[in-house]
Amino acid sequence: MINITFQPEEERLIQEKLNSGKYATAYEVIVEALRLLEKRDKQYEQWVEETRKKVAIGITQLDRGEWIDGEIVMARLREKLEKVTENKRSSDNSRREISQTVENLFSQTQALPGVQDITEEDIIAEIEAYRRGE
């Protein structure tokens, strides 16, 4: 059996988890924390192993003379970044255009005779009729 003394901050955190209703006992909180720690450790070990493999491949390629000058790599990265930034600007512009179009249509619709006479009750009644399949 292991006895553990927690600092006030850890006790407060455990109590918050208990108060959330997700856990019935402090033991459940600790078990979940240990499960997550184990999962994180396994992910880290996997990342380390994948990184080792990539480094080994890189060293092999360097030994064979297969490498790209750092300036070229940086230029390619800058180019990719510019494309991503350009695509984002284009997407933002498209959203603005769509928003403006919807706003214009809304303004035009509101200007039609009879539209302004529709009450909130009329809208609610239409929604209810739609839900009933009428």
Side-chain angles (χ1 to χ4, degrees), residues 16-134:
E16 282 179 12
K17 297 299 176 187
L18 292 172
N19 292 342
S20 76
K22 186 174 179 183
Y23 304 95
T25 66
Y27 175 77
E28 289 178 10
V29 174
I30 303 301
V31 168
E32 179 66 6
L34 291 171
R35 186 189 68 76
L36 291 171
L37 178 63
E38 182 66 21
K39 180 179 175 182
R40 187 192 70 182
D41 287 350
K42 284 181 181 177
Q43 288 172 338
Y44 176 75
E45 289 169 13
Q46 183 179 3
W47 176 83
V48 167
E49 185 58 33
E50 289 171 3
T51 302
R52 282 186 182 135
K53 288 177 184 177
K54 289 176 184 177
V55 168
I57 290 169
I59 290 171
T60 301
Q61 289 172 330
L62 285 172
D63 289 344
R64 290 191 305 237
E66 301 171 6
W67 56 277
I68 300 174
D69 183 81
E71 292 299 320
I72 294 171
V73 171
M74 292 305 294
R76 288 179 183 172
L77 288 173
R78 279 189 209 98
E79 194 175 299
K80 285 182 180 182
L81 180 60
E82 286 173 15
K83 285 181 182 177
V84 168
T85 303
E86 190 176 299
N87 288 341
K88 183 172 179 349
R89 279 190 205 120
S90 174
S91 174
D92 289 347
N93 288 338
S94 295
R95 287 185 180 135
R96 271 191 227 98
E97 289 172 13
I98 291 169
S99 177
Q100 187 63 48
T101 301
V102 169
E103 189 175 321
N104 290 341
L105 286 171
F106 181 74
S107 296
Q108 292 169 6
T109 305
Q110 290 301 306
L112 293 173
V115 171
Q116 295 163 340
D117 299 334
I118 298 174
T119 66
E120 191 170 325
E121 290 80 20
D122 294 332
I123 294 170
I124 292 170
E126 277 296 316
I127 292 171
E128 290 301 320
Y130 174 79
R131 287 180 179 157
R132 288 190 304 269
E134 298 174 5

